[in-house]
PDB file of all heavy atoms in Angstrom:
ATOM      1  N   SER A 142     -19.128 -27.814 -25.266  1.00 98.00           N
ATOM      2  CA  SER A 142     -19.635 -26.481 -25.519  1.00 98.00           C
ATOM      3  C   SER A 142     -20.778 -26.173 -24.592  1.00 98.00           C
ATOM      4  O   SER A 142     -21.924 -25.834 -24.986  1.00 98.00           O
ATOM      5  CB  SER A 142     -20.125 -26.359 -26.978  1.00 98.00           C
ATOM      6  OG  SER A 142     -20.379 -25.002 -27.268  1.00 98.00           O
ATOM      7  N   ILE A 143     -20.531 -26.324 -23.247  1.00 98.00           N
ATOM      8  CA  ILE A 143     -21.554 -26.097 -22.207  1.00 98.00           C
ATOM      9  C   ILE A 143     -20.947 -25.207 -21.166  1.00 98.00           C
ATOM     10  O   ILE A 143     -19.833 -24.842 -21.085  1.00 98.00           O
ATOM     11  CB  ILE A 143     -21.973 -27.427 -21.606  1.00 98.00           C
ATOM     12  CG1 ILE A 143     -20.669 -28.095 -20.953  1.00 98.00           C
ATOM     13  CG2 ILE A 143     -22.705 -28.354 -22.518  1.00 98.00           C
ATOM     14  CD1 ILE A 143     -21.025 -29.226 -20.059  1.00 98.00           C
ATOM     15  N   TYR A 144     -21.911 -24.733 -20.262  1.00 98.00           N
ATOM     16  CA  TYR A 144     -21.466 -24.083 -19.033  1.00 98.00           C
ATOM     17  C   TYR A 144     -21.447 -25.186 -17.954  1.00 98.00           C
ATOM     18  O   TYR A 144     -22.427 -25.846 -17.697  1.00 98.00           O
ATOM     19  CB  TYR A 144     -22.505 -22.993 -18.714  1.00 98.00           C
ATOM     20  CG  TYR A 144     -22.458 -21.813 -19.631  1.00 98.00           C
ATOM     21  CD1 TYR A 144     -23.197 -21.815 -20.760  1.00 98.00           C
ATOM     22  CD2 TYR A 144     -21.606 -20.730 -19.386  1.00 98.00           C
ATOM     23  CE1 TYR A 144     -23.144 -20.767 -21.666  1.00 98.00           C
ATOM     24  CE2 TYR A 144     -21.558 -19.662 -20.291  1.00 98.00           C
ATOM     25  CZ  TYR A 144     -22.299 -19.699 -21.472  1.00 98.00           C
ATOM     26  OH  TYR A 144     -22.262 -18.670 -22.327  1.00 98.00           O
ATOM     27  N   LEU A 145     -20.299 -25.285 -17.321  1.00 98.00           N
ATOM     28  CA  LEU A 145     -20.060 -26.371 -16.322  1.00 98.00           C
ATOM     29  C   LEU A 145     -19.683 -25.764 -15.009  1.00 98.00           C
ATOM     30  O   LEU A 145     -18.781 -25.045 -14.802  1.00 98.00           O
ATOM     31  CB  LEU A 145     -18.924 -27.262 -16.793  1.00 98.00           C
ATOM     32  CG  LEU A 145     -18.548 -28.426 -15.859  1.00 98.00           C
ATOM     33  CD1 LEU A 145     -19.716 -29.304 -15.630  1.00 98.00           C
ATOM     34  CD2 LEU A 145     -17.340 -29.163 -16.523  1.00 98.00           C
ATOM     35  N   ILE A 146     -20.619 -26.134 -13.978  1.00 97.00           N
ATOM     36  CA  ILE A 146     -20.372 -25.706 -12.557  1.00 97.00           C
ATOM     37  C   ILE A 146     -19.709 -26.910 -11.913  1.00 97.00           C
ATOM     38  O   ILE A 146     -20.291 -27.929 -11.792  1.00 97.00           O
ATOM     39  CB  ILE A 146     -21.732 -25.328 -11.890  1.00 97.00           C
ATOM     40  CG1 ILE A 146     -22.311 -24.094 -12.602  1.00 97.00           C
ATOM     41  CG2 ILE A 146     -21.520 -25.032 -10.430  1.00 97.00           C
ATOM     42  CD1 ILE A 146     -23.307 -24.370 -13.644  1.00 97.00           C
ATOM     43  N   GLY A 147     -18.474 -26.623 -11.451  1.00 91.00           N
ATOM     44  CA  GLY A 147     -17.686 -27.770 -10.943  1.00 91.00           C
ATOM     45  C   GLY A 147     -17.871 -28.112  -9.457  1.00 91.00           C
ATOM     46  O   GLY A 147     -16.907 -28.498  -8.883  1.00 91.00           O
ATOM     47  N   GLY A 148     -19.044 -27.946  -8.975  1.00 70.00           N
ATOM     48  CA  GLY A 148     -19.241 -28.344  -7.560  1.00 70.00           C
ATOM     49  C   GLY A 148     -18.251 -27.733  -6.699  1.00 70.00           C
ATOM     50  O   GLY A 148     -17.736 -26.676  -6.928  1.00 70.00           O
ATOM     51  N   ARG A 149     -17.906 -28.370  -5.609  1.00 61.00           N
ATOM     52  CA  ARG A 149     -16.724 -27.971  -4.911  1.00 61.00           C
ATOM     53  C   ARG A 149     -15.660 -28.822  -5.519  1.00 61.00           C
ATOM     54  O   ARG A 149     -15.301 -29.881  -5.022  1.00 61.00           O
ATOM     55  CB  ARG A 149     -16.788 -28.228  -3.369  1.00 61.00           C
ATOM     56  CG  ARG A 149     -15.537 -27.660  -2.753  1.00 61.00           C
ATOM     57  CD  ARG A 149     -15.193 -28.237  -1.425  1.00 61.00           C
ATOM     58  NE  ARG A 149     -14.894 -29.650  -1.607  1.00 61.00           N
ATOM     59  CZ  ARG A 149     -14.340 -30.404  -0.675  1.00 61.00           C
ATOM     60  NH1 ARG A 149     -14.053 -29.810   0.476  1.00 61.00           N
ATOM     61  NH2 ARG A 149     -14.049 -31.660  -0.849  1.00 61.00           N
ATOM     62  N   SER A 150     -15.233 -28.361  -6.714  1.00 55.00           N
ATOM     63  CA  SER A 150     -14.401 -29.229  -7.511  1.00 55.00           C
ATOM     64  C   SER A 150     -13.193 -29.721  -6.699  1.00 55.00           C
ATOM     65  O   SER A 150     -12.827 -30.866  -6.817  1.00 55.00           O
ATOM     66  CB  SER A 150     -13.856 -28.434  -8.711  1.00 55.00           C
ATOM     67  OG  SER A 150     -13.104 -27.343  -8.321  1.00 55.00           O
ATOM     68  N   ILE A 151     -12.660 -28.911  -5.879  1.00 61.00           N
ATOM     69  CA  ILE A 151     -11.481 -29.312  -5.038  1.00 61.00           C
ATOM     70  C   ILE A 151     -11.399 -28.521  -3.807  1.00 61.00           C
ATOM     71  O   ILE A 151     -11.919 -27.432  -3.684  1.00 61.00           O
ATOM     72  CB  ILE A 151     -10.187 -29.084  -5.826  1.00 61.00           C
ATOM     73  CG1 ILE A 151     -10.012 -27.624  -6.189  1.00 61.00           C
ATOM     74  CG2 ILE A 151     -10.072 -29.945  -7.101  1.00 61.00           C
ATOM     75  CD1 ILE A 151      -8.637 -27.274  -6.732  1.00 61.00           C
ATOM     76  N   PRO A 152     -10.762 -29.078  -2.729  1.00 75.00           N
ATOM     77  CA  PRO A 152     -10.282 -28.180  -1.711  1.00 75.00           C
ATOM     78  C   PRO A 152      -9.137 -27.331  -2.307  1.00 75.00           C
ATOM     79  O   PRO A 152      -8.217 -27.934  -2.833  1.00 75.00           O
ATOM     80  CB  PRO A 152      -9.800 -29.155  -0.668  1.00 75.00           C
ATOM     81  CG  PRO A 152     -10.335 -30.526  -1.028  1.00 75.00           C
ATOM     82  CD  PRO A 152     -10.463 -30.511  -2.489  1.00 75.00           C
ATOM     83  N   GLU A 153      -9.304 -26.053  -2.405  1.00 89.00           N
ATOM     84  CA  GLU A 153      -8.319 -25.252  -3.080  1.00 89.00           C
ATOM     85  C   GLU A 153      -7.262 -24.775  -2.092  1.00 89.00           C
ATOM     86  O   GLU A 153      -7.578 -24.277  -0.954  1.00 89.00           O
ATOM     87  CB  GLU A 153      -9.043 -24.010  -3.632  1.00 89.00           C
ATOM     88  CG  GLU A 153      -8.101 -23.016  -4.367  1.00 89.00           C
ATOM     89  CD  GLU A 153      -8.684 -21.643  -4.536  1.00 89.00           C
ATOM     90  OE1 GLU A 153      -9.745 -21.404  -4.045  1.00 89.00           O
ATOM     91  OE2 GLU A 153      -7.947 -20.808  -5.125  1.00 89.00           O
ATOM     92  N   GLU A 154      -6.011 -24.888  -2.482  1.00 87.00           N
ATOM     93  CA  GLU A 154      -4.867 -24.390  -1.680  1.00 87.00           C
ATOM     94  C   GLU A 154      -4.448 -23.082  -2.323  1.00 87.00           C
ATOM     95  O   GLU A 154      -4.145 -22.988  -3.535  1.00 87.00           O
ATOM     96  CB  GLU A 154      -3.761 -25.368  -1.632  1.00 87.00           C
ATOM     97  CG  GLU A 154      -2.667 -25.076  -0.637  1.00 87.00           C
ATOM     98  CD  GLU A 154      -1.657 -23.998  -1.100  1.00 87.00           C
ATOM     99  OE1 GLU A 154      -1.310 -24.081  -2.305  1.00 87.00           O
ATOM    100  OE2 GLU A 154      -1.266 -23.117  -0.352  1.00 87.00           O
ATOM    101  N   ASP A 155      -4.339 -22.032  -1.515  1.00 91.00           N
ATOM    102  CA  ASP A 155      -3.882 -20.709  -2.007  1.00 91.00           C
ATOM    103  C   ASP A 155      -3.204 -19.965  -0.843  1.00 91.00           C
ATOM    104  O   ASP A 155      -3.891 -19.713   0.191  1.00 91.00           O
ATOM    105  CB  ASP A 155      -5.044 -19.989  -2.599  1.00 91.00           C
ATOM    106  CG  ASP A 155      -4.591 -18.645  -3.226  1.00 91.00           C
ATOM    107  OD1 ASP A 155      -3.436 -18.503  -3.710  1.00 91.00           O
ATOM    108  OD2 ASP A 155      -5.407 -17.681  -3.261  1.00 91.00           O
ATOM    109  N   GLY A 156      -1.960 -19.671  -1.021  1.00 87.00           N
ATOM    110  CA  GLY A 156      -1.302 -18.835   0.002  1.00 87.00           C
ATOM    111  C   GLY A 156      -1.189 -19.514   1.360  1.00 87.00           C
ATOM    112  O   GLY A 156      -1.267 -18.795   2.413  1.00 87.00           O
ATOM    113  N   GLY A 157      -1.124 -20.793   1.400  1.00 89.00           N
ATOM    114  CA  GLY A 157      -1.125 -21.535   2.669  1.00 89.00           C
ATOM    115  C   GLY A 157      -2.419 -21.767   3.308  1.00 89.00           C
ATOM    116  O   GLY A 157      -2.458 -22.385   4.387  1.00 89.00           O
ATOM    117  N   LYS A 158      -3.473 -21.331   2.722  1.00 92.00           N
ATOM    118  CA  LYS A 158      -4.849 -21.582   3.238  1.00 92.00           C
ATOM    119  C   LYS A 158      -5.639 -22.502   2.325  1.00 92.00           C
ATOM    120  O   LYS A 158      -5.303 -22.630   1.138  1.00 92.00           O
ATOM    121  CB  LYS A 158      -5.638 -20.200   3.329  1.00 92.00           C
ATOM    122  CG  LYS A 158      -5.043 -19.222   4.299  1.00 92.00           C
ATOM    123  CD  LYS A 158      -5.882 -18.018   4.417  1.00 92.00           C
ATOM    124  CE  LYS A 158      -5.322 -17.010   5.447  1.00 92.00           C
ATOM    125  NZ  LYS A 158      -6.195 -15.809   5.553  1.00 92.00           N
ATOM    126  N   LEU A 159      -6.580 -23.127   2.885  1.00 92.00           N
ATOM    127  CA  LEU A 159      -7.490 -24.068   2.141  1.00 92.00           C
ATOM    128  C   LEU A 159      -8.890 -23.427   2.061  1.00 92.00           C
ATOM    129  O   LEU A 159      -9.370 -22.893   3.053  1.00 92.00           O
ATOM    130  CB  LEU A 159      -7.555 -25.419   2.789  1.00 92.00           C
ATOM    131  CG  LEU A 159      -6.221 -26.221   2.844  1.00 92.00           C
ATOM    132  CD1 LEU A 159      -6.545 -27.588   3.626  1.00 92.00           C
ATOM    133  CD2 LEU A 159      -5.630 -26.489   1.509  1.00 92.00           C
ATOM    134  N   TYR A 160      -9.546 -23.607   0.853  1.00 94.00           N
ATOM    135  CA  TYR A 160     -10.859 -23.070   0.633  1.00 94.00           C
ATOM    136  C   TYR A 160     -11.727 -24.169   0.051  1.00 94.00           C
ATOM    137  O   TYR A 160     -11.229 -25.083  -0.669  1.00 94.00           O
ATOM    138  CB  TYR A 160     -10.816 -21.870  -0.279  1.00 94.00           C
ATOM    139  CG  TYR A 160     -10.014 -20.689   0.235  1.00 94.00           C
ATOM    140  CD1 TYR A 160      -8.672 -20.578  -0.135  1.00 94.00           C
ATOM    141  CD2 TYR A 160     -10.609 -19.732   1.025  1.00 94.00           C
ATOM    142  CE1 TYR A 160      -7.882 -19.556   0.278  1.00 94.00           C
ATOM    143  CE2 TYR A 160      -9.830 -18.671   1.437  1.00 94.00           C
ATOM    144  CZ  TYR A 160      -8.507 -18.509   1.068  1.00 94.00           C
ATOM    145  OH  TYR A 160      -7.707 -17.460   1.493  1.00 94.00           O
ATOM    146  N   ASN A 161     -12.982 -24.070   0.328  1.00 92.00           N
ATOM    147  CA  ASN A 161     -14.029 -24.929  -0.299  1.00 92.00           C
ATOM    148  C   ASN A 161     -14.496 -24.192  -1.532  1.00 92.00           C
ATOM    149  O   ASN A 161     -15.222 -23.195  -1.427  1.00 92.00           O
ATOM    150  CB  ASN A 161     -15.167 -25.129   0.690  1.00 92.00           C
ATOM    151  CG  ASN A 161     -16.233 -26.119   0.126  1.00 92.00           C
ATOM    152  OD1 ASN A 161     -16.415 -26.285  -1.052  1.00 92.00           O
ATOM    153  ND2 ASN A 161     -16.952 -26.749   1.093  1.00 92.00           N
ATOM    154  N   THR A 162     -14.022 -24.610  -2.717  1.00 94.00           N
ATOM    155  CA  THR A 162     -14.136 -23.764  -3.928  1.00 94.00           C
ATOM    156  C   THR A 162     -14.928 -24.401  -5.064  1.00 94.00           C
ATOM    157  O   THR A 162     -14.665 -25.584  -5.343  1.00 94.00           O
ATOM    158  CB  THR A 162     -12.723 -23.366  -4.378  1.00 94.00           C
ATOM    159  OG1 THR A 162     -12.038 -22.726  -3.287  1.00 94.00           O
ATOM    160  CG2 THR A 162     -12.770 -22.422  -5.557  1.00 94.00           C
ATOM    161  N   CYS A 163     -15.786 -23.661  -5.670  1.00 94.00           N
ATOM    162  CA  CYS A 163     -16.529 -24.025  -6.803  1.00 94.00           C
ATOM    163  C   CYS A 163     -16.084 -23.194  -8.007  1.00 94.00           C
ATOM    164  O   CYS A 163     -16.056 -21.962  -7.981  1.00 94.00           O
ATOM    165  CB  CYS A 163     -17.987 -23.850  -6.599  1.00 94.00           C
ATOM    166  SG  CYS A 163     -19.082 -24.133  -8.030  1.00 94.00           S
ATOM    167  N   THR A 164     -15.695 -23.862  -9.126  1.00 96.00           N
ATOM    168  CA  THR A 164     -15.340 -23.153 -10.352  1.00 96.00           C
ATOM    169  C   THR A 164     -16.393 -23.399 -11.435  1.00 96.00           C
ATOM    170  O   THR A 164     -17.077 -24.335 -11.474  1.00 96.00           O
ATOM    171  CB  THR A 164     -13.996 -23.724 -10.853  1.00 96.00           C
ATOM    172  OG1 THR A 164     -14.058 -25.164 -10.958  1.00 96.00           O
ATOM    173  CG2 THR A 164     -12.791 -23.398  -9.915  1.00 96.00           C
ATOM    174  N   VAL A 165     -16.419 -22.394 -12.314  1.00 97.00           N
ATOM    175  CA  VAL A 165     -17.392 -22.425 -13.437  1.00 97.00           C
ATOM    176  C   VAL A 165     -16.636 -22.189 -14.725  1.00 97.00           C
ATOM    177  O   VAL A 165     -15.803 -21.253 -14.836  1.00 97.00           O
ATOM    178  CB  VAL A 165     -18.463 -21.297 -13.278  1.00 97.00           C
ATOM    179  CG1 VAL A 165     -19.448 -21.387 -14.475  1.00 97.00           C
ATOM    180  CG2 VAL A 165     -19.253 -21.451 -11.960  1.00 97.00           C
ATOM    181  N   PHE A 166     -16.869 -22.997 -15.732  1.00 97.00           N
ATOM    182  CA  PHE A 166     -16.238 -22.920 -17.042  1.00 97.00           C
ATOM    183  C   PHE A 166     -17.266 -22.708 -18.114  1.00 97.00           C
ATOM    184  O   PHE A 166     -18.318 -23.340 -18.080  1.00 97.00           O
ATOM    185  CB  PHE A 166     -15.357 -24.143 -17.313  1.00 97.00           C
ATOM    186  CG  PHE A 166     -14.211 -24.317 -16.291  1.00 97.00           C
ATOM    187  CD1 PHE A 166     -14.388 -25.002 -15.175  1.00 97.00           C
ATOM    188  CD2 PHE A 166     -13.044 -23.632 -16.576  1.00 97.00           C
ATOM    189  CE1 PHE A 166     -13.315 -25.136 -14.272  1.00 97.00           C
ATOM    190  CE2 PHE A 166     -11.983 -23.733 -15.652  1.00 97.00           C
ATOM    191  CZ  PHE A 166     -12.103 -24.460 -14.513  1.00 97.00           C
ATOM    192  N   GLY A 167     -16.922 -21.849 -19.097  1.00 98.00           N
ATOM    193  CA  GLY A 167     -17.813 -21.632 -20.200  1.00 98.00           C
ATOM    194  C   GLY A 167     -17.515 -22.544 -21.354  1.00 98.00           C
ATOM    195  O   GLY A 167     -16.617 -23.390 -21.358  1.00 98.00           O
ATOM    196  N   PRO A 168     -18.305 -22.361 -22.433  1.00 98.00           N
ATOM    197  CA  PRO A 168     -18.211 -23.288 -23.608  1.00 98.00           C
ATOM    198  C   PRO A 168     -16.880 -23.203 -24.327  1.00 98.00           C
ATOM    199  O   PRO A 168     -16.533 -24.117 -25.093  1.00 98.00           O
ATOM    200  CB  PRO A 168     -19.385 -22.749 -24.513  1.00 98.00           C
ATOM    201  CG  PRO A 168     -20.314 -22.062 -23.641  1.00 98.00           C
ATOM    202  CD  PRO A 168     -19.496 -21.464 -22.596  1.00 98.00           C
ATOM    203  N   ASP A 169     -16.099 -22.156 -24.063  1.00 98.00           N
ATOM    204  CA  ASP A 169     -14.768 -22.036 -24.659  1.00 98.00           C
ATOM    205  C   ASP A 169     -13.672 -22.548 -23.765  1.00 98.00           C
ATOM    206  O   ASP A 169     -12.487 -22.469 -24.049  1.00 98.00           O
ATOM    207  CB  ASP A 169     -14.424 -20.606 -25.087  1.00 98.00           C
ATOM    208  CG  ASP A 169     -14.446 -19.641 -23.908  1.00 98.00           C
ATOM    209  OD1 ASP A 169     -14.857 -20.066 -22.720  1.00 98.00           O
ATOM    210  OD2 ASP A 169     -14.090 -18.419 -24.100  1.00 98.00           O
ATOM    211  N   GLY A 170     -14.065 -23.080 -22.566  1.00 97.00           N
ATOM    212  CA  GLY A 170     -13.161 -23.564 -21.577  1.00 97.00           C
ATOM    213  C   GLY A 170     -12.549 -22.625 -20.606  1.00 97.00           C
ATOM    214  O   GLY A 170     -11.825 -22.998 -19.712  1.00 97.00           O
ATOM    215  N   ALA A 171     -12.930 -21.346 -20.771  1.00 97.00           N
ATOM    216  CA  ALA A 171     -12.450 -20.259 -19.913  1.00 97.00           C
ATOM    217  C   ALA A 171     -13.163 -20.328 -18.558  1.00 97.00           C
ATOM    218  O   ALA A 171     -14.334 -20.645 -18.539  1.00 97.00           O
ATOM    219  CB  ALA A 171     -12.591 -18.903 -20.551  1.00 97.00           C
ATOM    220  N   MET A 172     -12.461 -20.051 -17.471  1.00 97.00           N
ATOM    221  CA  MET A 172     -13.061 -19.976 -16.127  1.00 97.00           C
ATOM    222  C   MET A 172     -13.829 -18.599 -15.959  1.00 97.00           C
ATOM    223  O   MET A 172     -13.234 -17.611 -16.124  1.00 97.00           O
ATOM    224  CB  MET A 172     -12.036 -20.132 -15.041  1.00 97.00           C
ATOM    225  CG  MET A 172     -12.633 -20.298 -13.663  1.00 97.00           C
ATOM    226  SD  MET A 172     -11.523 -20.853 -12.445  1.00 97.00           S
ATOM    227  CE  MET A 172     -10.449 -19.368 -12.271  1.00 97.00           C
ATOM    228  N   LEU A 173     -15.125 -18.780 -15.704  1.00 97.00           N
ATOM    229  CA  LEU A 173     -15.996 -17.571 -15.599  1.00 97.00           C
ATOM    230  C   LEU A 173     -16.155 -17.135 -14.195  1.00 97.00           C
ATOM    231  O   LEU A 173     -16.491 -15.925 -13.908  1.00 97.00           O
ATOM    232  CB  LEU A 173     -17.357 -17.947 -16.189  1.00 97.00           C
ATOM    233  CG  LEU A 173     -17.356 -18.380 -17.668  1.00 97.00           C
ATOM    234  CD1 LEU A 173     -18.774 -18.686 -18.092  1.00 97.00           C
ATOM    235  CD2 LEU A 173     -16.785 -17.357 -18.570  1.00 97.00           C
ATOM    236  N   ALA A 174     -16.048 -18.055 -13.191  1.00 97.00           N
ATOM    237  CA  ALA A 174     -16.275 -17.691 -11.805  1.00 97.00           C
ATOM    238  C   ALA A 174     -15.503 -18.721 -10.947  1.00 97.00           C
ATOM    239  O   ALA A 174     -15.315 -19.839 -11.347  1.00 97.00           O
ATOM    240  CB  ALA A 174     -17.734 -17.710 -11.475  1.00 97.00           C
ATOM    241  N   LYS A 175     -15.177 -18.213  -9.742  1.00 96.00           N
ATOM    242  CA  LYS A 175     -14.598 -19.133  -8.744  1.00 96.00           C
ATOM    243  C   LYS A 175     -15.161 -18.734  -7.390  1.00 96.00           C
ATOM    244  O   LYS A 175     -14.885 -17.615  -6.871  1.00 96.00           O
ATOM    245  CB  LYS A 175     -13.094 -18.944  -8.725  1.00 96.00           C
ATOM    246  CG  LYS A 175     -12.333 -19.899  -7.729  1.00 96.00           C
ATOM    247  CD  LYS A 175     -10.820 -19.779  -7.825  1.00 96.00           C
ATOM    248  CE  LYS A 175     -10.355 -18.538  -7.131  1.00 96.00           C
ATOM    249  NZ  LYS A 175      -8.829 -18.604  -7.015  1.00 96.00           N
ATOM    250  N   HIS A 176     -16.021 -19.530  -6.831  1.00 96.00           N
ATOM    251  CA  HIS A 176     -16.719 -19.205  -5.612  1.00 96.00           C
ATOM    252  C   HIS A 176     -16.125 -19.981  -4.458  1.00 96.00           C
ATOM    253  O   HIS A 176     -16.057 -21.201  -4.420  1.00 96.00           O
ATOM    254  CB  HIS A 176     -18.217 -19.537  -5.691  1.00 96.00           C
ATOM    255  CG  HIS A 176     -18.952 -19.180  -4.392  1.00 96.00           C
ATOM    256  ND1 HIS A 176     -19.194 -17.918  -4.034  1.00 96.00           N
ATOM    257  CD2 HIS A 176     -19.470 -20.004  -3.448  1.00 96.00           C
ATOM    258  CE1 HIS A 176     -19.825 -17.880  -2.915  1.00 96.00           C
ATOM    259  NE2 HIS A 176     -20.050 -19.123  -2.516  1.00 96.00           N
ATOM    260  N   ARG A 177     -15.610 -19.227  -3.466  1.00 95.00           N
ATOM    261  CA  ARG A 177     -15.118 -19.813  -2.222  1.00 95.00           C
ATOM    262  C   ARG A 177     -16.261 -19.750  -1.178  1.00 95.00           C
ATOM    263  O   ARG A 177     -16.817 -18.690  -0.973  1.00 95.00           O
ATOM    264  CB  ARG A 177     -13.892 -19.092  -1.741  1.00 95.00           C
ATOM    265  CG  ARG A 177     -12.673 -19.275  -2.632  1.00 95.00           C
ATOM    266  CD  ARG A 177     -11.542 -18.359  -2.205  1.00 95.00           C
ATOM    267  NE  ARG A 177     -10.290 -18.765  -2.885  1.00 95.00           N
ATOM    268  CZ  ARG A 177      -9.173 -18.026  -2.801  1.00 95.00           C
ATOM    269  NH1 ARG A 177      -9.181 -16.873  -2.132  1.00 95.00           N
ATOM    270  NH2 ARG A 177      -8.096 -18.434  -3.464  1.00 95.00           N
ATOM    271  N   LYS A 178     -16.582 -20.911  -0.620  1.00 95.00           N
ATOM    272  CA  LYS A 178     -17.720 -21.051   0.335  1.00 95.00           C
ATOM    273  C   LYS A 178     -17.529 -19.922   1.366  1.00 95.00           C
ATOM    274  O   LYS A 178     -16.561 -19.744   2.024  1.00 95.00           O
ATOM    275  CB  LYS A 178     -17.677 -22.388   0.955  1.00 95.00           C
ATOM    276  CG  LYS A 178     -18.850 -22.735   1.860  1.00 95.00           C
ATOM    277  CD  LYS A 178     -18.781 -24.190   2.320  1.00 95.00           C
ATOM    278  CE  LYS A 178     -19.969 -24.645   2.979  1.00 95.00           C
ATOM    279  NZ  LYS A 178     -19.894 -26.149   3.331  1.00 95.00           N
ATOM    280  N   VAL A 179     -18.634 -19.143   1.492  1.00 96.00           N
ATOM    281  CA  VAL A 179     -18.635 -17.942   2.445  1.00 96.00           C
ATOM    282  C   VAL A 179     -18.863 -18.303   3.852  1.00 96.00           C
ATOM    283  O   VAL A 179     -18.191 -17.844   4.755  1.00 96.00           O
ATOM    284  CB  VAL A 179     -19.638 -16.914   1.904  1.00 96.00           C
ATOM    285  CG1 VAL A 179     -19.777 -15.808   2.859  1.00 96.00           C
ATOM    286  CG2 VAL A 179     -19.243 -16.379   0.516  1.00 96.00           C
ATOM    287  N   HIS A 180     -19.814 -19.221   4.047  1.00 96.00           N
ATOM    288  CA  HIS A 180     -20.249 -19.648   5.429  1.00 96.00           C
ATOM    289  C   HIS A 180     -19.759 -21.035   5.669  1.00 96.00           C
ATOM    290  O   HIS A 180     -20.143 -21.988   4.991  1.00 96.00           O
ATOM    291  CB  HIS A 180     -21.776 -19.592   5.511  1.00 96.00           C
ATOM    292  CG  HIS A 180     -22.369 -18.207   5.154  1.00 96.00           C
ATOM    293  ND1 HIS A 180     -22.826 -17.974   3.902  1.00 96.00           N
ATOM    294  CD2 HIS A 180     -22.517 -17.048   5.901  1.00 96.00           C
ATOM    295  CE1 HIS A 180     -23.248 -16.766   3.857  1.00 96.00           C
ATOM    296  NE2 HIS A 180     -23.090 -16.153   5.092  1.00 96.00           N
TER     297      HIS A 180
END
C-alpha cells in the first residue's frame, strides 16, 4: 500500500523502439505514470 517509483524499471520495447522508462504504481497497484527518458 505504497507509491512505488520503479527506477528505469526496464528498457521498454514498444513499436520496434527501445526506451529508458520509469513506471510509477499506486497503493492499489495501478500504474500512475510512465516516464520515458527525455534527454
Side-chain angles (χ1 to χ4, degrees):
S142 191
I143 58 168
Y144 290 87
L145 178 58
I146 295 95
R149 186 200 66 166
S150 62
I151 59 172
E153 179 197 3
E154 190 280 320
D155 184 28
K158 294 182 178 180
L159 298 179
Y160 300 92
N161 184 334
T162 302
C163 172
T164 52
V165 180
F166 295 92
D169 61 355
M172 188 167 69
L173 302 179
K175 183 176 76 170
H176 180 72
R177 290 171 170 171
K178 189 174 188 177
V179 171
H180 305 93

